[in-house]
Amino acid sequence: MALIHRAVMGMIVGQRCRLGGRFSKCAELAEETCQYCGRPFCARHTYYREGHEAVCTASRCRAKRDDLVAYQAYRAAVAARNRAGLCGIDGCGPHPAHECSLCRGHFCGDHIRERMYPFRQGWVTIERPASVCARCWDRRKIWRGA
């Protein structure tokens, strides 16, 4: 019964950590599964764990977690500026006339561009035109292949 309870609580029963070097995988028992790469990992290879979120120390997974935190702060700042009737970019003036297709922030014409943006549809990636702010455009490098 205790084994079932640990499995339900997020523990990975009986699996080994799948992180470490190319020729020296970690031998510790896994405690969580990474929400980004899906690999089981131990306490030593934990980058972030809180509630239902668990992120391993793999560089791509750390970059995604860090980007998500920074992006949430960015969206909050853009929303605050938009409520005041300003462009989402700090230091820019009033009357934002364009909406970013991704973050839904409002920007002036100087801070948003029409681009071909890769959208995933099932197993296929399709490029479609989208109005995208610079911050959302730069994020695609981190999340590509996710």
Side-chain angles (χ1 to χ4, degrees):
M1 184 67 155
L3 289 177
I4 294 171
H5 184 262
R6 274 192 280 164
V8 171
M9 297 302 293
M11 302 272 302
I12 309 302
V13 179
Q15 287 191 1
R16 298 276 178 205
C17 177
R18 292 196 26 218
L19 280 95
R22 178 175 290 184
F23 299 110
S24 60
K25 293 291 180 207
C26 181
E28 297 293 319
L29 284 176
E31 294 183 4
E32 296 285 346
T33 300
C34 182
Q35 68 186 34
Y36 297 120
C37 69
R39 291 185 289 188
F41 62 92
C42 66
R44 188 173 60 135
H45 290 108
T46 300
Y47 180 66
Y48 178 82
R49 178 171 43 189
E50 185 174 306
H52 66 281
E53 295 183 81
V55 181
C56 72
T57 56
S59 60
R60 288 186 61 153
C61 300
R62 288 192 325 259
K64 288 178 180 183
R65 170 68 187 154
D66 294 344
D67 175 69
L68 183 61
V69 171
Y71 188 62
Q72 290 170 338
Y74 168 77
R75 287 187 64 193
V78 167
R81 291 187 53 75
N82 287 167
R83 282 191 297 276
L86 300 171
C87 172
I89 301 298
D90 195 27
C92 192
H95 310 297
H98 307 281
E99 180 180 64
C100 176
S101 299
L102 303 174
C103 70
R104 300 294 182 210
H106 292 87
F107 302 89
C108 68
D110 292 339
H111 292 117
I112 201 160
R113 290 187 48 197
E114 193 74 22
R115 303 173 186 254
M116 294 302 287
Y117 193 86
F119 290 94
R120 291 191 59 117
Q121 291 184 333
W123 296 99
V124 179
T125 300
I126 298 172
E127 295 215 357
R128 293 184 292 187
S131 296
V132 183
C133 68
R135 178 69 173 93
C136 289
W137 180 251
D138 290 341
R139 290 185 80 216
R140 80 192 188 292
K141 298 170 190 171
I142 296 168
W143 293 90
R144 185 180 8 215

